[in-house]
Amino acid sequence: MQVTRIQTPLTLALLCTFLVSGGAEAQTPPGTRAVIEIGNPDFRPYPIATADVRDANSPNSVPAQAMTKAMRYDFEISPVFKLLDPKSYLANQAKEGMTAASIKFSDWLSVGAEGLVKGTIEQSGGEMKVDLRLFDVASGREQLKKSYKGPATEDEARTIGHRFANEVVFFLTGTKGVFTTRVAAVKKTKTGRELWTISVDGASRSQVTKNGSINLLPAWSRNGKSLLFTSYIKHNPNLYSVPLGGGALKLISGERGLNTGGSMSPDGRKVALTLSRDGNSEIYVMNADGSGLQRLTNEWAIDSSPSWSPDGKRIAFVSARWGDPHIFVMNSDGSGVRRITERGNYNQTPDWSPRGDLIAFTARDERNKFDIFTVNPDTKEIKRLTQDQGDNEEPSFSPDGNHIVFTSKRNKKSQVFIMATDGTHQTQLTADGGFSTPAWSPYLD
Amino acid sequence: MSPRVSLIRPLLLAAALLAACASTQTADLELSAAEKALADAYAAKASDCAKATYQAAESKLREAKKLIAEENVEGARAAAQEAERLAQQARGESPPGCDEKEEEDPNKDASATDDASARLGLEGLEHTVYFDYNQATIREDSKGLLSKYAKILKDSPSIKLEIEGHCDSRGSTEYNLHLGERRARAVEKYLLTQGVKPDQIDIISYGEERPVDFDETEEAHQRNRRAELKKSS
Amino acid sequence: MGIEDTVNTSLAKERPRKRSGNRGFWLTAILSLLVHAGIGAAALYAQPKRQTIDLNRAIPVQLVKLGKKRDPKLLPRIYEPPPPPKDEGVALAKEEKSQPTPKDERKKSKDELSDAAKRMLDSDRRLDEALRRVTPDDPEGDPSGSEFGTTTDTTNAAAGYVAEIGRALQSNYRLPEAIPASQRKFLKARVLLYIEPNGKIREFAFVEEHPNQLFMSALDSLLKTVQLPAPPAAEAKRFQNDGVEVVFRP
């Protein structure tokens, strides 16, 4: 990178030894022009403008507003984009059409947009037809066009907005957007704890359990159709699975003592969990139907909270075997145990990124504050994502690995927040409080 | 606080010390035998009924430990054996029911042997013991109470207890479930070492899900780090 | 005679690890200084004998950024915390309005205090602020300094100018985050810049393009907007006619 070559004769040479942080390099063969190398680009979010979606019948109908809001929210929370402030838009949106030819791109260029999203709705008989497009502002070309149909409701409009935002992300980055995924979380009730799922924009929620007991630690099945969780419904804290479309609970593990932290392997065939049936908290693996139980750890201290690596070959977990709880990694057969966190003294709740390169966890720092960190399981490098904003706990990665959901007590009550994996774009999803152990779903469509 | 409670503390502390150096000394056998004899004597109310002998046994045991600290293994052995002998003697001097006339402490009802009065005893007892942060070890100030429970359970084998482990709100849900269970299990183990039968005790952990104090203050956290002993039907 | 500075290359490889500001950082800093001194010495030695050293010429030297060492057993801290979250997410239920925030309470109670008490509180606050300013949270040093320390060799006017172009382009070399991670390491483009005597880019021409449009349009807008200084008069013709070649790479 920082190679400096000195060519002779020096009177002709262009000597360059600057070591600016990016690192540029210059070399000049004798008598020719200088060559400068510029590397280490500073990756910046893609500036995108999102025009108001227009409803042919009434320009700012409820579905049109919901759709605009949904897409703007998605670009706002995404670290890949910088949503340009709609108040700054210069274009005459009422006049401008949907085709590249009818758009005055210079108006969008001058507000700094590189991408432009536009959309129209046509309602008839309670149904709507939606046309959404992405333009490249610099070249004035249409890049993406999608049509949708559905009932002309606010909910449907929001969903369509999120689906198109997913398409935009996929078009630009090659990775599917996560805006139609959901977060499962536990919410306190008067009598116990119930499971809910919440959309990524916080706008829609649905209650999963209503049994009045204590229901804890939801984890998604790999197909996104059911949740694994621990419930006291039969007094002993057993592991159950509940279908999200409604249906009966299925007992997965009913060993005496705790049956917690159920976590499905990436191929969906196995479940890792923590049991205390042998008199101590240890990690076990079994088949997804509960058969073939196999013990992985054997320590006097607590071992808990297993989380699979995306290739299914390793499992991250918490162990207090060296005194304080720390994040450890082992092979999925229990061999090769390795401590990963060498800083801090109270590290818990590992969640392995779907990209494989990071494990997010909760740690208590020297000021006794809980915050979210990531650690690279190979280099053990630790990065801090939250700080100075109350206690922040229980991280869980989005299926693209770009976001993390967590709970924060920064506004007293424990709320669900999401953020980008670098700690930016922190956004609150709930306002009523009492939430814990959020878990981000896999892709649901 | 009853005199018994204050007496048993140094003993149990001593037991803990003993365990700590068990691997380095050879007077272990003698010491643990003396320890056990003393505990038996205590259980037989020798500390009240045969006070002088009991206290002599105690002081011999202390001497034994002191000698160990001074690395005088031979002396420690002899002292421990003497402590054991005295403890057995004290126990012999304490026939069942020897302390029945003492009525001023309502907790003493627990000494009655029939289930009805045992129940009364349980209900009269404090049912919570507390723990230190991130710890699941029985604190010295809990041992007196747990010994009373042990006595009642031994006297009334039909009584069953469920021990609930709880944590404060700090730390993760799952880790706290397991920490809570360790607390419940620590209480269970303590009762079992006092001679309670395993089938009389069940444990369950609620982690941080059932706090008694919803504040986030240090005091509230302490009140929530607990095990509750509940009579199960 | 060609000198390839391999020491510097190995330093570059170690850089990422050194960012944590540990002992190795100092090693790097010291080695870096030594190497630069060596290069400078080599350059001076190789100059034609008749050239004299102008003692009045300023040699710009940037400060080395200093930082207090943090106990490596402690968890890291963020020195520039991310901005606080936006208040409004989509469709957030409204918070109960009746709850006074703690800040309001403090203000109210302060209004009821006597003047003397207010003065005391104010001086407390000032002390707090003063203390906060010197809390060891922030690394110390020159904020404009390079993390590694730099010197700029200006023994040759053209070399200095090329370095300036390099700096100007480097500090504006921003690419969209939307470029997928899988493609980032293959990005490469070469472009010729022809620079007018006033520093304006008269013309640029890509001699090697990359198929990624996000990358190419980012370079396009960079070269259209970047401000370059004027070249040294003696060299102006060269930069206008021969131009310089810039290689953009990951």
Side-chain angles (χ1 to χ4, degrees):
Chain A
M1 267 199 331
Q2 307 275 346
V3 185
T4 299
R5 290 193 180 84
I6 300 170
Q7 307 280 347
T8 51
L10 270 168
T11 43
L12 281 175
L14 300 168
L15 180 67
C16 176
T17 61
F18 60 91
L19 290 173
V20 293
S21 58
E25 169 185 339
Q27 45 181 307
T28 34
T32 60
R33 71 170 72 87
V35 178
I36 306 172
E37 278 205 28
I38 307 292
N40 284 0
D42 186 0
F43 283 93
R44 292 288 168 96
Y46 181 72
I48 193 163
T50 307
D52 293 326
V53 172
R54 301 198 58 81
D55 189 320
N57 311 334
S58 59
N60 288 312
S61 68
V62 170
Q65 286 187 12
M67 199 177 294
T68 311
K69 202 172 173 187
M71 290 191 292
R72 285 183 183 157
Y73 174 86
D74 295 343
F75 298 137
E76 187 106 61
I77 62 167
S78 170
V80 165
F81 296 102
K82 181 185 168 217
L83 175 72
L84 298 170
D85 183 355
K87 290 189 200 93
S88 72
Y89 299 170
L90 299 171
N92 185 342
Q93 295 188 47
K95 271 193 178 171
E96 221 175 59
M98 278 293 281
T99 56
S102 67
I103 295 170
K104 202 178 157 199
F105 285 103
S106 59
D107 281 349
W108 295 105
L109 197 62
S110 60
V111 298
E114 287 178 31
L116 168 65
V117 169
K118 302 203 74 168
T120 55
I121 294 178
E122 266 179 60
Q123 289 194 43
S124 68
E127 294 286 302
M128 61 181 169
K129 275 165 66 183
V130 180
D131 175 8
L132 289 164
R133 300 185 195 189
L134 169 72
F135 299 93
D136 177 56
V137 173
S139 64
R141 278 198 303 254
E142 182 183 293
Q143 292 183 301
L144 191 62
K145 181 186 172 186
K146 294 278 162 186
S147 301
Y148 302 87
K149 267 184 199 173
T153 62
E154 188 178 352
D155 270 2
E156 181 69 11
R158 215 164 29 222
T159 305
I160 289 173
H162 291 314
R163 282 170 63 192
F164 186 68
N166 282 346
E167 297 281 355
V168 170
V169 171
F170 184 75
F171 176 81
L172 291 171
T173 69
T175 306
K176 239 168 132 178
V178 296
F179 309 121
T180 48
T181 58
R182 294 178 82 81
V183 168
V186 170
K187 181 165 167 52
K188 251 184 217 176
T189 63
K190 280 209 176 104
T191 53
R193 306 275 188 280
E194 302 287 1
L195 304 187
W196 288 74
T197 66
I198 307 167
S199 63
V200 168
D201 62 3
S204 105
R205 275 195 207 174
S206 74
Q207 187 166 359
V208 180
T209 61
K210 274 183 194 165
N211 55 39
S213 179
I214 299 177
N215 302 283
L216 298 170
L217 299 164
W220 291 82
S221 66
R222 291 292 156 173
N223 63 13
K225 289 185 176 153
S226 60
L227 296 178
L228 283 174
F229 67 107
T230 298
S231 177
Y232 287 73
I233 190 165
K234 295 267 194 277
H235 193 67
N236 191 65
N238 295 334
L239 188 73
Y240 298 90
S241 130
V242 58
L244 287 168
L249 300 193
K250 189 178 151 206
L251 179 70
I252 303 292
S253 173
E255 299 289 338
R256 190 166 174 225
L258 290 163
N259 299 257
T260 68
S263 164
M264 198 171 264
S265 65
D267 63 7
R269 289 189 186 169
K270 304 231 169 213
V271 171
L273 76 171
T274 313
L275 301 176
S276 63
R277 63 166 207 173
D278 296 332
N280 190 35
S281 305
E282 305 285 0
I283 293 170
Y284 297 72
V285 167
M286 59 187 187
N287 298 324
D289 62 2
S291 67
L293 190 68
Q294 183 197 342
R295 179 162 160 176
L296 298 188
T297 60
N298 191 356
E299 279 287 329
W300 64 273
I302 295 175
D303 292 316
S304 73
S305 312
S307 171
W308 296 84
S309 65
D311 62 5
K313 288 180 180 159
R314 292 189 285 174
I315 292 174
F317 64 105
V318 175
S319 180
R321 63 185 65 187
W322 293 10
D324 300 319
H326 273 286
I327 310 300
F328 284 70
V329 164
M330 62 183 162
N331 299 326
S332 54
D333 62 359
S335 66
V337 175
R338 209 170 141 242
R339 177 170 150 182
I340 299 302
T341 53
E342 287 174 347
R343 301 174 74 172
N345 57 19
Y346 201 76
N347 303 324
Q348 298 178 343
T349 74
D351 187 57
W352 210 312
S353 157
R355 288 193 199 152
D357 57 341
L358 295 176
I359 294 171
F361 64 101
T362 312
R364 193 192 61 202
D365 71 7
E366 75 279 9
R367 303 177 186 191
N368 285 330
K369 292 312 260 178
F370 287 86
D371 273 304
I372 313 288
F373 295 77
T374 56
V375 59
N376 179 314
D378 302 310
T379 64
K380 300 186 182 180
E381 187 193 358
I382 290 182
K383 279 192 184 140
R384 185 175 195 134
L385 305 187
T386 60
Q387 181 176 290
D388 299 333
Q389 299 207 64
D391 285 330
N392 301 285
E393 297 175 68
E394 314 262 11
S396 166
F397 277 101
S398 62
D400 63 354
N402 281 340
H403 306 262
I404 289 174
V405 65
F406 60 104
T407 57
S408 179
K409 289 184 190 151
R410 64 189 63 176
N411 305 325
K412 284 258 175 169
K413 296 175 189 171
S414 181
Q415 307 286 9
V416 179
F417 277 70
I418 56 173
M419 63 180 164
T421 303
D422 62 1
T424 62
H425 299 71
Q426 298 190 12
T427 309
Q428 188 171 343
L429 296 194
T430 58
D432 46 343
F435 288 94
S436 59
T437 61
W440 206 310
S441 76
Y443 288 110
L444 298 175
D445 50 18
Chain B
M1 194 181 284
S2 85
R4 257 185 259 164
V5 176
S6 57
L7 272 172
I8 196 157
R9 274 195 206 162
L11 269 180
L12 290 161
L13 183 63
L17 281 170
L18 245 187
C21 36
S23 60
T24 56
Q25 298 298 336
T26 52
D28 292 356
L29 276 179
E30 287 79 1
L31 274 170
S32 56
E35 197 69 59
K36 186 177 178 305
L38 259 176
D40 288 346
Y42 174 80
K45 309 272 181 271
S47 54
D48 291 329
C49 302
K51 215 168 178 175
T53 326
Y54 184 82
Q55 283 176 352
E58 262 193 332
S59 83
K60 265 290 167 204
L61 186 62
R62 271 196 294 272
E63 189 189 325
K65 282 172 192 147
K66 210 171 134 207
L67 288 167
I68 282 206
E70 291 162 13
E71 295 185 333
N72 181 350
V73 178
E74 281 305 308
R77 251 189 219 164
Q81 280 163 356
E82 180 61 11
E84 185 185 359
R85 194 190 61 75
L86 282 166
Q88 281 162 352
Q89 184 187 329
R91 193 183 172 190
E93 290 166 16
S94 311
C98 69
D99 63 338
E100 262 169 5
K101 53 200 173 293
E102 295 178 57
E103 294 291 350
E104 66 280 8
D105 184 345
N107 288 346
K108 297 250 165 77
D109 288 347
S111 59
T113 48
D114 68 285
D115 271 13
S117 55
R119 216 172 9 254
L120 254 182
L122 272 185
E123 277 150 17
L125 287 179
E126 174 61 45
H127 64 272
T128 309
V129 293
Y130 297 96
F131 291 85
D132 291 334
Y133 179 65
N134 198 26
Q135 295 299 316
T137 24
I138 303 292
R139 293 198 320 212
E140 286 306 314
D141 62 359
S142 305
K143 289 181 174 172
L145 176 66
L146 293 181
S147 297
K148 286 181 199 170
Y149 271 94
K151 171 82 175 83
I152 294 168
L153 290 169
K154 278 197 307 187
D155 290 348
S156 314
S158 63
I159 297 183
K160 290 191 175 173
L161 275 190
E162 184 172 68
I163 302 164
E164 296 179 0
H166 299 271
C167 302
D168 66 34
S169 61
R170 294 169 299 174
S172 73
T173 298
E174 190 179 3
Y175 188 84
N176 278 344
L177 284 170
H178 291 274
L179 179 59
E181 189 175 87
R182 282 174 91 84
R183 287 179 177 159
R185 209 178 284 281
V187 172
E188 178 190 34
K189 271 185 191 152
Y190 189 84
L191 295 177
L192 294 182
T193 57
Q194 303 262 310
V196 176
K197 290 205 181 70
D199 64 4
Q200 284 180 277
I201 305 175
D202 268 327
I203 59 166
I204 191 163
S205 170
Y206 289 102
E208 60 181 79
E209 312 304 325
R210 286 196 169 165
V212 288
D213 192 326
F214 290 85
D215 279 352
E216 293 281 331
T217 61
E218 209 40 63
E219 295 75 38
H221 289 320
Q222 176 58 85
R223 274 194 286 281
N224 289 330
R225 290 193 300 265
R226 69 200 194 277
E228 292 186 18
L229 298 92
K230 292 189 171 169
K231 196 161 170 296
S232 54
S233 43
Chain C
M1 177 185 81
I3 307 162
E4 176 131 1
D5 190 348
T6 51
V7 179
N8 224 344
T9 313
S10 71
L11 277 180
K13 273 183 205 149
E14 286 185 7
R15 259 179 58 209
R17 202 152 49 81
K18 302 309 171 199
R19 285 183 193 261
S20 56
N22 52 22
R23 201 179 43 165
F25 162 73
W26 288 106
L27 192 67
T28 312
I30 289 162
L31 270 174
S32 169
L33 284 173
L34 285 176
V35 166
H36 281 92
I39 292 166
L44 281 174
Y45 179 72
Q47 290 296 327
K49 285 274 173 351
R50 57 192 164 78
Q51 188 166 340
T52 55
I53 298 169
D54 180 4
L55 290 176
N56 292 323
R57 198 190 65 212
I59 299 173
V61 176
Q62 288 184 23
L63 294 178
V64 173
K65 195 188 260 181
L66 293 172
K68 184 176 161 286
K69 271 187 193 166
R70 185 169 170 82
D71 181 345
K73 288 273 175 225
L74 292 180
L75 292 158
R77 282 190 70 75
I78 302 169
Y79 293 109
E80 287 166 54
K86 296 245 159 50
D87 287 343
E88 33 174 337
V90 165
L92 265 191
K94 288 272 184 306
E95 285 276 11
E96 298 92 306
K97 278 176 194 154
S98 57
Q99 292 180 331
T101 65
K103 208 177 174 182
D104 291 342
E105 273 169 10
R106 201 174 57 193
K107 211 163 127 196
K108 209 179 284 169
S109 61
K110 202 177 155 186
D111 287 343
E112 293 156 6
L113 292 172
S114 71
D115 284 354
K118 275 184 202 164
R119 275 196 299 278
M120 260 175 71
L121 273 179
D122 278 347
S123 73
D124 267 10
R125 184 179 45 77
R126 277 197 298 275
L127 183 62
D128 270 3
E129 276 166 11
L131 285 174
R132 208 170 301 135
R133 275 197 294 274
V134 297
T135 45
D137 267 13
D138 299 305
E140 292 153 21
D142 182 356
S144 68
S146 150
E147 208 172 326
F148 306 98
T150 70
T151 64
T152 305
D153 190 298
T154 52
T155 50
N156 179 305
Y161 182 61
V162 168
E164 281 185 56
I165 299 175
R167 264 197 292 272
L169 294 176
Q170 184 70 61
S171 61
N172 289 290
Y173 188 26
R174 294 176 200 126
L175 297 179
E177 192 76 44
I179 295 176
S182 57
Q183 288 185 23
R184 289 185 183 180
K185 56 174 175 275
F186 305 112
L187 301 172
K188 194 185 171 200
R190 291 195 301 148
V191 62
L192 298 181
L193 305 186
Y194 299 93
I195 301 159
E196 289 179 10
N198 64 7
K200 215 179 146 211
I201 297 180
R202 179 168 59 87
E203 196 185 336
F204 62 87
F206 282 96
V207 288
E208 182 185 336
E209 296 202 23
H210 190 274
N212 187 308
Q213 281 311 304
L214 286 173
F215 176 53
M216 290 310 292
S217 65
L219 294 187
D220 214 58
S221 72
L222 161 62
L223 295 173
K224 276 176 183 159
T225 55
V226 71
Q227 305 273 337
L228 299 181
E235 304 281 347
K237 244 196 183 121
R238 259 186 58 183
F239 286 102
Q240 187 163 17
N241 299 331
D242 299 344
V244 289
E245 183 179 328
V246 181
V247 182
F248 290 97
R249 53 174 180 74

